[in-house]
Amino acid sequence: MKNKLIVTLTTVRGSRQYSLGQVARYIVALTIVLFATSFFISNWFLVKTSDDLSDLEEDHEQLSDQYEMMLGTQNLYKNELDQLSVSLSRVASQRDKLQAENIRMGDKLYEGNNRLGELHATLGASLNGLETLLNVEPSNDMSKERLESLTMMANQRLFMLNSIPNGVPIQAIRISDGFGMRMHPIRKKRVMHHGIDYKANIGTPVYSTADGVVESAGNKHDGYGKQVVILHGFGFKSSYSHLNKIEVSSGEFVHKGQKIAESGNTGKSTGPHLHYEVRHLYSKINPAPFVAWNIANFDTIFSTVKSVKWASLKNLYPLNQTVQP
């Protein structure tokens, strides 16, 4: 009994028992083990297959989501592309409008350039005119600074020319006598002549040679006849003698070029003429350099008339002004 295996089989007809030997028992045991092993392996493969299927389903779902996302992105790109196309069309339309506007503006710009060229030419002519007037070296510089510099120079010179006697006081027939030693026509001896004599018909207008104030006007019975003396700037005086008629009075302000009298033949005179003198402080100066002095040869007076200390004049307004950068 101990080395036998009893197997009981139950059927409808009843139960039967069979006994097996040791070998048979090993075979049955091995079969049971193989069956159990197959069962567990099959279950493992089943579980593994189920897991793989689950993974495949998840991958499928992810792929489906990605596909839908790609479709959405594609649609988004398509929408953006459509919008870009619309924007491009608008830009092209605006470009065409701008080109048309540029053509119109080009015509206006051409006209403007022509006008600018005319203005530039006018400015150039003005600058050249100033350079010629001031007798300075011509320059191709058409800048604002150049214009300001020339304008300031002109204003400075005009100020000085309005303050200090210059130019002729009368439209005379000729100069009958100049500054210097001469034979006096009445006294018949050599004496100093302190002015210029202009031969002129009686009644010829006499003009002030600079701005100033009338110091005296009348006949002092000193041989000069009817005389006008004008006090100018910077210590200068001018006098006009042997007049026929005086048209200003003492203390009256006069300007350069103003008619102040008419020439005549009063006082110690041998014929109708104007005796004209220029003085600085108490010194009588040769009027000739001042008569010739003008805006073009402005600097000549400073080297010609040495009795006046001109150097300090440059420190006075407006000669001390310069163009600011």
Side-chain angles (χ1 to χ4, degrees):
M1 291 297 292
K2 185 162 62 172
N3 294 324
K4 292 183 181 180
L5 177 64
I6 299 174
V7 178
T8 301
L9 296 177
T10 302
T11 63
V12 293
R13 294 179 180 181
S15 296
R16 292 182 181 181
Q17 294 183 343
Y18 300 91
S19 60
L20 300 174
Q22 188 176 4
V23 176
R25 288 201 306 269
Y26 288 143
I27 293 173
V28 171
L30 181 60
T31 302
I32 293 172
V33 170
L34 290 175
F35 177 77
T37 301
S38 299
F39 176 77
F40 286 113
I41 292 174
S42 299
N43 285 337
W44 181 80
F45 276 116
L46 179 61
V47 172
K48 182 72 169 60
T49 303
S50 298
D51 292 339
D52 291 340
L53 286 174
S54 298
D55 293 339
L56 288 174
E57 289 178 356
E58 291 179 0
D59 291 342
H60 178 71
E61 290 178 358
Q62 291 178 0
L63 288 173
S64 297
D65 294 339
Q66 292 177 359
Y67 178 71
E68 292 177 357
M69 184 181 296
M70 289 180 63
L71 288 177
T73 303
Q74 184 178 5
N75 291 331
L76 179 62
Y77 288 161
K78 185 176 183 302
N79 292 334
E80 292 181 352
L81 182 60
D82 292 339
Q83 292 177 0
L84 286 174
S85 297
V86 173
S87 300
L88 184 60
S89 298
R90 291 177 181 174
V91 170
S93 177
Q94 292 177 358
R95 179 202 60 192
D96 295 338
K97 291 180 180 179
L98 285 174
Q99 286 179 345
E101 185 68 20
N102 283 339
I103 293 174
R104 291 192 296 269
M105 290 297 293
D107 294 337
K108 294 181 180 179
L109 182 61
Y110 178 75
E111 296 175 359
N113 285 337
N114 285 341
R115 179 57 179 163
L116 183 61
E118 293 175 359
L119 293 175
H120 188 73
T122 302
L123 176 60
S126 300
L127 288 176
N128 291 336
L130 271 176
E131 290 169 343
T132 301
L133 178 66
L134 299 173
N135 194 27
V136 297
E137 185 177 353
S139 171
N140 293 326
D141 184 4
M142 299 293 178
S143 65
K144 178 183 176 182
E145 290 74 15
R146 175 66 173 170
L147 177 60
E148 290 178 350
S149 177
L150 290 175
T151 301
M152 177 171 288
M153 183 185 296
N155 289 333
Q156 290 173 340
R157 292 187 178 187
L158 288 174
F159 175 80
M160 297 299 295
L161 290 170
N162 279 307
S163 301
I164 300 175
N166 62 94
V168 294
I170 188 174
Q171 295 296 322
I173 298 173
R174 61 181 175 87
I175 294 177
S176 56
D177 215 339
F179 183 89
M181 296 298 294
R182 68 161 186 174
M183 181 64 69
H184 195 282
I186 297 176
R187 297 167 62 183
K188 303 300 182 182
K189 64 177 183 178
R190 289 183 63 80
V191 295
M192 184 66 184
H193 187 236
H194 295 289
I196 295 177
D197 289 342
Y198 291 95
K199 183 178 180 180
N201 296 324
I202 295 175
T204 303
V206 176
Y207 305 97
S208 174
T209 53
D211 297 345
V213 59
V214 178
E215 183 181 82
S216 62
N219 194 337
K220 298 179 180 179
H221 304 286
D222 54 2
Y224 287 103
K226 293 181 179 180
Q227 182 189 59
V228 173
V229 178
I230 299 177
L231 178 62
H232 306 288
F234 306 104
F236 286 90
K237 289 182 182 182
S238 61
S239 65
Y240 313 80
S241 305
H242 305 300
L243 302 172
N244 182 64
K245 180 182 178 182
I246 296 175
E247 298 187 3
V248 292
S249 59
S250 178
E252 183 178 344
F253 291 99
V254 295
H255 60 80
K256 178 177 174 60
Q258 178 179 337
K259 182 182 176 183
I260 57 174
E262 292 179 358
S263 64
N265 192 32
T266 59
K268 294 180 179 180
S269 172
T270 57
H273 74 286
L274 171 70
H275 178 75
Y276 175 65
E277 292 184 7
V278 173
R279 304 176 188 179
H280 184 251
L281 300 179
Y282 300 103
S283 300
K284 296 180 180 181
I285 305 174
N286 184 0
F290 294 90
V291 171
W293 190 34
N294 56 53
I295 196 170
N297 63 6
F298 183 80
D299 293 331
T300 60
I301 195 75
F302 306 121
S303 58
T304 303
V305 181
K306 300 183 183 300
S307 60
V308 178
K309 298 179 180 179
W310 300 106
S312 57
L313 197 61
K314 65 181 180 180
N315 298 320
L316 303 181
Y317 179 89
L319 296 183
N320 60 354
Q321 300 299 297
T322 57
V323 177
Q324 297 297 323

CSV table of all heavy atoms in Angstrom, one decimal, residues 203-207 228 240 243-248 258-263:
chain,number,residue,atom,x,y,z
A,203,GLY,N,23.4,178.1,-53.7
A,203,GLY,CA,22.1,177.4,-53.5
A,203,GLY,C,22.2,175.9,-53.7
A,203,GLY,O,21.2,175.2,-53.7
A,204,THR,N,23.5,175.4,-53.9
A,204,THR,CA,23.7,173.9,-54.1
A,204,THR,C,23.5,173.3,-52.7
A,204,THR,O,24.0,173.7,-51.7
A,204,THR,CB,25.1,173.6,-54.6
A,204,THR,OG1,25.2,174.3,-55.9
A,204,THR,CG2,25.2,172.1,-54.8
A,205,PRO,N,22.7,172.2,-52.6
A,205,PRO,CA,22.4,171.5,-51.3
A,205,PRO,C,23.7,171.0,-50.7
A,205,PRO,O,24.6,170.5,-51.3
A,205,PRO,CB,21.5,170.4,-51.7
A,205,PRO,CG,20.8,170.8,-52.9
A,205,PRO,CD,21.9,171.6,-53.7
A,206,VAL,N,23.8,171.2,-49.4
A,206,VAL,CA,24.9,170.7,-48.5
A,206,VAL,C,24.3,169.7,-47.6
A,206,VAL,O,23.3,169.9,-46.9
A,206,VAL,CB,25.5,171.9,-47.8
A,206,VAL,CG1,26.6,171.3,-46.8
A,206,VAL,CG2,26.1,172.9,-48.7
A,207,TYR,N,25.0,168.6,-47.4
A,207,TYR,CA,24.5,167.4,-46.7
A,207,TYR,C,25.4,167.1,-45.5
A,207,TYR,O,26.6,167.2,-45.6
A,207,TYR,CB,24.3,166.2,-47.5
A,207,TYR,CG,23.5,166.4,-48.8
A,207,TYR,CD1,24.0,166.7,-50.0
A,207,TYR,CD2,22.1,166.4,-48.7
A,207,TYR,CE1,23.3,166.9,-51.1
A,207,TYR,CE2,21.3,166.6,-49.8
A,207,TYR,CZ,21.9,166.9,-51.0
A,207,TYR,OH,21.1,167.1,-52.1
A,228,VAL,N,27.8,175.9,-40.3
A,228,VAL,CA,27.2,174.8,-39.4
A,228,VAL,C,28.3,173.9,-39.0
A,228,VAL,O,29.1,173.4,-39.7
A,228,VAL,CB,26.1,174.0,-40.2
A,228,VAL,CG1,25.6,172.8,-39.4
A,228,VAL,CG2,25.0,174.9,-40.6
A,240,TYR,N,30.8,173.2,-42.0
A,240,TYR,CA,30.4,173.6,-43.4
A,240,TYR,C,30.3,175.1,-43.4
A,240,TYR,O,29.5,175.7,-42.7
A,240,TYR,CB,29.1,172.9,-43.7
A,240,TYR,CG,29.0,171.5,-43.4
A,240,TYR,CD1,28.8,171.1,-42.0
A,240,TYR,CD2,29.2,170.5,-44.3
A,240,TYR,CE1,28.7,169.7,-41.7
A,240,TYR,CE2,29.1,169.1,-44.0
A,240,TYR,CZ,28.9,168.8,-42.7
A,240,TYR,OH,28.9,167.4,-42.3
A,243,LEU,N,28.2,179.5,-46.2
A,243,LEU,CA,26.9,179.0,-46.7
A,243,LEU,C,26.0,180.2,-47.0
A,243,LEU,O,26.2,181.4,-46.6
A,243,LEU,CB,26.2,178.2,-45.6
A,243,LEU,CG,26.9,177.0,-45.1
A,243,LEU,CD1,26.2,176.4,-43.8
A,243,LEU,CD2,27.0,175.9,-46.2
A,244,ASN,N,25.1,180.0,-47.9
A,244,ASN,CA,24.1,181.0,-48.2
A,244,ASN,C,22.8,180.9,-47.4
A,244,ASN,O,22.2,181.9,-47.0
A,244,ASN,CB,23.7,180.9,-49.7
A,244,ASN,CG,22.8,181.9,-50.2
A,244,ASN,OD1,23.1,183.1,-50.2
A,244,ASN,ND2,21.6,181.5,-50.6
A,245,LYS,N,22.4,179.6,-47.0
A,245,LYS,CA,21.2,179.4,-46.3
A,245,LYS,C,21.4,178.2,-45.3
A,245,LYS,O,22.0,177.2,-45.7
A,245,LYS,CB,20.1,179.1,-47.2
A,245,LYS,CG,18.7,178.9,-46.5
A,245,LYS,CD,17.7,178.5,-47.5
A,245,LYS,CE,16.3,178.2,-46.8
A,245,LYS,NZ,15.3,177.9,-47.8
A,246,ILE,N,21.0,178.4,-44.1
A,246,ILE,CA,21.1,177.3,-43.1
A,246,ILE,C,19.7,176.8,-42.8
A,246,ILE,O,18.8,177.5,-42.6
A,246,ILE,CB,21.8,177.9,-41.8
A,246,ILE,CG1,23.2,178.3,-42.1
A,246,ILE,CG2,21.8,176.8,-40.7
A,246,ILE,CD1,23.9,178.9,-40.9
A,247,GLU,N,19.6,175.5,-42.8
A,247,GLU,CA,18.3,174.8,-42.6
A,247,GLU,C,18.2,174.0,-41.3
A,247,GLU,O,17.2,173.3,-41.1
A,247,GLU,CB,18.0,173.9,-43.8
A,247,GLU,CG,17.9,174.7,-45.1
A,247,GLU,CD,17.4,173.9,-46.2
A,247,GLU,OE1,17.1,172.7,-46.0
A,247,GLU,OE2,17.4,174.4,-47.4
A,248,VAL,N,19.2,174.1,-40.4
A,248,VAL,CA,19.1,173.4,-39.1
A,248,VAL,C,19.5,174.5,-38.0
A,248,VAL,O,20.0,175.5,-38.3
A,248,VAL,CB,20.1,172.2,-39.0
A,248,VAL,CG1,19.7,171.1,-40.0
A,248,VAL,CG2,21.5,172.7,-39.3
A,258,GLN,N,21.4,164.1,-44.6
A,258,GLN,CA,20.3,165.1,-44.4
A,258,GLN,C,20.8,166.4,-44.9
A,258,GLN,O,21.9,166.9,-44.7
A,258,GLN,CB,19.9,165.2,-42.9
A,258,GLN,CG,18.9,166.3,-42.7
A,258,GLN,CD,18.5,166.3,-41.2
A,258,GLN,OE1,18.7,165.4,-40.5
A,258,GLN,NE2,18.0,167.5,-40.8
A,259,LYS,N,19.9,167.1,-45.7
A,259,LYS,CA,20.3,168.5,-46.1
A,259,LYS,C,20.2,169.4,-44.9
A,259,LYS,O,19.3,169.5,-44.2
A,259,LYS,CB,19.3,168.9,-47.2
A,259,LYS,CG,19.6,170.3,-47.8
A,259,LYS,CD,18.5,170.8,-48.8
A,259,LYS,CE,18.8,172.2,-49.2
A,259,LYS,NZ,17.8,172.7,-50.2
A,260,ILE,N,21.4,170.1,-44.8
A,260,ILE,CA,21.5,171.0,-43.6
A,260,ILE,C,21.6,172.5,-44.0
A,260,ILE,O,21.4,173.4,-43.2
A,260,ILE,CB,22.7,170.6,-42.7
A,260,ILE,CG1,24.0,170.6,-43.6
A,260,ILE,CG2,22.5,169.2,-42.1
A,260,ILE,CD1,25.2,170.4,-42.8
A,261,ALA,N,22.0,172.7,-45.3
A,261,ALA,CA,22.2,174.1,-45.8
A,261,ALA,C,22.3,174.1,-47.3
A,261,ALA,O,22.2,173.1,-48.0
A,261,ALA,CB,23.5,174.6,-45.1
A,262,GLU,N,22.5,175.4,-47.8
A,262,GLU,CA,22.8,175.6,-49.2
A,262,GLU,C,24.1,176.4,-49.3
A,262,GLU,O,24.4,177.3,-48.5
A,262,GLU,CB,21.7,176.3,-49.9
A,262,GLU,CG,20.4,175.5,-49.9
A,262,GLU,CD,19.3,176.3,-50.6
A,262,GLU,OE1,19.5,177.5,-50.9
A,262,GLU,OE2,18.2,175.7,-50.8
A,263,SER,N,24.9,176.0,-50.3
A,263,SER,CA,26.2,176.7,-50.4
A,263,SER,C,26.0,178.1,-50.8
A,263,SER,O,25.0,178.5,-51.4
A,263,SER,CB,27.1,175.9,-51.5
A,263,SER,OG,26.4,176.1,-52.7
